[in-house]
Amino acid sequence: YTLKSLELKPDNPDALMNLGGIQRDLGNLDQALASTLKSIEINPNNPTAHLNLGSIYKDLGNLDQALASTLKSLDLKPDNHTAHVNLGAIYIQLGNLDQALACTLKSLELKPDNPDALMNLGVIQRNLGNLDQALASTLKSLELKPDNPDAHLNLGVICKDLGNLEQALASTLKSLELKPDNPDAYMNLGTIYMQLGKLDQALASTLKSIELKQDNPIGLINLGNIYCKKGDHKNNKAALDKARAIEPSCLNLQINATQAFKEIHNDESEIDEERRSFAEATRYVQEHPELKWRNDIPVNLGIFWLPYHGRNDDIELTQKFWKAVANNSDIKKITSKFRLRSKSDDEYLSIKIGILSNFWGEQHPVNLHYAEIIKHLISTDIKVELIVGEGVSQSEQREIESRYGTTV
């Protein structure tokens, strides 16, 4: 009917706008964009067309244009609750949680029983560390719209964060029942299975996610983590190298790919390869201080472990690598992955740094390197929390606290 309408009147802006919506639903984003732009060219003051244009740009990954188009729609129609929902979703992807929260609450003020706004509110509350509120909002959304696969997926993520892995598993499987080819759901399913210790199921789910979305660096990182837990360090490195190749400008991917060689190897050729990996990563980070930290990509920065094989140049090599990371212009964003999710008012950000207090002597280059990294971080506004392994006495802990001017 839409094509017939355009055949009779090719310059019908409403028909062109509707055609853009249909093409978007069919997954034909380029055609959807062309039709919607043509509609706006004919009728530039249609708020719905600008809103649709914002959704298309968001699907295309052009968040700046998506933001501009959605704001234009709200200029033309300020009390459109759908536009406020969409604007909040864009701000979520941009990492601007304060703006996302304000837009989403405005949408709910205009329409309190909007399941999409409630679902997005759950996402925002989770990212802010408010898991109880996130759970309540997501459950309310599902009460209003029980067959929403995205809401079930989000519920699974929240339950996983709360430590309820069985409910997380059930919710994620329900999401896949409603939307069977969702790569994000398979990726989350793999993470849950990994935490449950079901590594074969974790591997199968993660491989399925990558099959559906081959250029997803997070899926590849999860795959590497599973291989690591299975003791398959070569496939671990291969997966992380693929992730780094997809997004070479990402700092945490550089770190992950390099840390794939943290294992102590007996084979001298593997040790040499480890050294080459650290040297390559060090050069790359030094030459690209603009590398960005992606908050949605996990990385293990828990322990600054050095690949020490009895050679002083190993220590020097790894010192250079971590110093390059610590001097990166985006270093403070690393702390966003370590926000304390407690019910207290203390929401400081921390980096936990492993201390090998007695493995080598206090003046050994390894411990001196730790001191250098810690002091660098303490000199910023990053809250540093030191952790020690089992067997460290209280007196040793007090000594470490005194040495670094922080708490263990």
Side-chain angles (χ1 to χ4, degrees):
Y1 290 108
T2 304
L3 291 175
K4 182 64 176 178
S5 175
L6 286 168
E7 182 181 325
L8 296 172
K9 189 179 179 181
D11 59 349
N12 183 339
D14 292 335
L16 285 164
M17 180 183 70
N18 291 342
L19 179 61
I22 294 168
Q23 294 284 19
R24 177 181 178 239
D25 290 341
L26 291 171
N28 304 323
L29 295 180
D30 290 337
Q31 296 94 315
L33 180 62
S35 297
T36 307
L37 286 172
K38 181 65 176 176
S39 172
I40 291 173
E41 180 183 332
I42 297 169
N43 182 10
N45 294 320
N46 183 348
T48 304
H50 285 284
L51 183 61
N52 293 353
L53 182 61
S55 297
I56 294 167
Y57 277 130
K58 180 172 173 287
D59 291 345
L60 287 167
N62 190 337
L63 295 181
D64 291 335
Q65 286 287 358
L67 180 63
S69 297
T70 308
L71 288 172
K72 177 64 177 178
S73 177
L74 279 168
D75 283 342
L76 296 167
K77 190 177 179 182
D79 288 337
N80 184 348
H81 67 87
T82 302
H84 284 287
V85 171
N86 290 7
L87 186 61
I90 294 167
Y91 278 128
I92 289 173
Q93 287 194 244
L94 287 170
N96 191 335
L97 295 182
D98 292 336
Q99 287 280 22
L101 181 60
C103 295
T104 305
L105 290 175
K106 178 63 176 179
S107 174
L108 287 167
E109 177 187 322
L110 296 168
K111 187 179 180 183
D113 60 348
N114 184 340
D116 293 333
L118 286 163
M119 180 183 70
N120 287 357
L121 181 60
V123 173
I124 296 165
Q125 294 287 17
R126 174 185 176 258
N127 287 335
L128 289 171
N130 305 322
L131 294 182
D132 291 338
Q133 295 95 314
L135 180 63
S137 297
T138 307
L139 288 173
K140 180 64 175 176
S141 173
L142 283 168
E143 181 183 324
L144 296 166
K145 191 177 178 182
D147 290 335
N148 183 350
D150 293 333
H152 283 285
L153 182 60
N154 292 347
L155 179 60
V157 173
I158 295 166
C159 289
K160 179 172 70 68
D161 289 346
L162 287 167
N164 189 343
L165 293 181
E166 293 299 335
Q167 184 58 55
L169 180 61
S171 298
T172 307
L173 289 172
K174 179 63 177 179
S175 177
L176 280 166
E177 177 186 323
L178 295 167
K179 189 177 178 181
D181 288 335
N182 185 349
D184 294 333
Y186 276 109
M187 183 176 67
N188 289 3
L189 185 63
T191 301
I192 294 167
Y193 277 134
M194 182 167 59
Q195 291 191 14
L196 287 169
K198 299 179 179 180
L199 296 183
D200 290 337
Q201 292 96 317
L203 182 61
S205 299
T206 306
L207 287 171
K208 179 65 176 177
S209 172
I210 294 169
E211 176 189 327
L212 294 167
K213 190 177 180 181
Q214 297 181 10
D215 60 348
N216 181 5
I218 304 177
L220 287 163
I221 286 176
N222 290 350
L223 180 63
N225 290 339
I226 295 166
Y227 279 130
C228 184
K229 285 184 176 292
K230 291 173 73 71
D232 188 344
H233 300 298
K234 288 186 177 180
N235 274 323
N236 171 28
K237 178 185 180 295
L240 294 175
D241 281 348
K242 286 181 182 178
R244 185 168 56 165
I246 291 170
E247 197 165 348
S249 63
C250 180
L251 176 60
N252 33 352
L253 283 177
Q254 292 291 331
I255 294 170
N256 271 308
T258 303
Q259 286 191 326
F261 275 121
K262 286 197 307 180
E263 300 298 319
I264 302 263
H265 300 293
N266 293 321
D267 187 291
E268 186 63 30
S269 64
E270 290 180 327
I271 294 173
D272 287 342
E273 179 63 20
E274 179 179 0
R275 292 173 180 133
R276 283 193 293 272
S277 176
F278 266 81
E280 174 194 348
T282 302
R283 284 193 299 272
Y284 195 91
V285 175
Q286 286 174 332
E287 293 169 2
H288 298 84
E290 76 288 353
L291 287 173
K292 294 301 178 184
W293 183 266
R294 269 188 57 177
N295 289 338
D296 57 341
I297 293 184
V299 67
N300 177 18
L301 277 177
I303 299 178
F304 285 83
W305 172 256
L306 291 88
Y308 181 62
H309 301 291
R311 284 174 34 173
N312 287 334
D313 56 347
D314 289 338
I315 298 169
E316 180 182 358
L317 179 62
T318 315
Q319 284 178 339
K320 288 180 179 178
F321 171 70
W322 286 112
K323 186 173 182 179
V325 170
N327 288 333
N328 177 268
S329 60
D330 217 29
I331 183 65
K332 292 181 181 178
K333 290 187 180 179
I334 292 177
T335 59
S336 64
K337 294 301 293 181
F338 297 93
R339 182 183 295 272
L340 296 187
R341 290 177 173 171
S342 65
K343 294 184 178 179
S344 69
D345 293 329
D346 189 5
E347 292 185 344
Y348 66 78
L349 305 179
S350 67
I351 291 180
K352 294 184 177 181
I353 305 172
I355 300 299
L356 302 177
S357 60
N358 291 322
F359 195 78
W360 290 291
E362 180 178 334
Q363 297 302 313
H364 192 281
V366 171
N367 275 338
L368 292 177
H369 171 61
Y370 280 126
E372 178 184 345
I373 293 293
I374 292 165
K375 289 175 181 177
H376 172 85
L377 294 173
I378 290 175
S379 69
T380 70
D381 59 1
I382 296 172
K383 173 76 175 184
V384 176
E385 175 186 357
L386 307 184
I387 56 175
V388 294
E390 295 181 2
V392 177
S393 67
Q394 289 186 352
S395 62
E396 288 174 319
Q397 290 189 27
R398 286 193 294 271
E399 180 185 347
I400 293 170
E401 289 176 339
S402 174
R403 184 186 310 165
Y404 297 113
T406 187
T407 57
V408 173

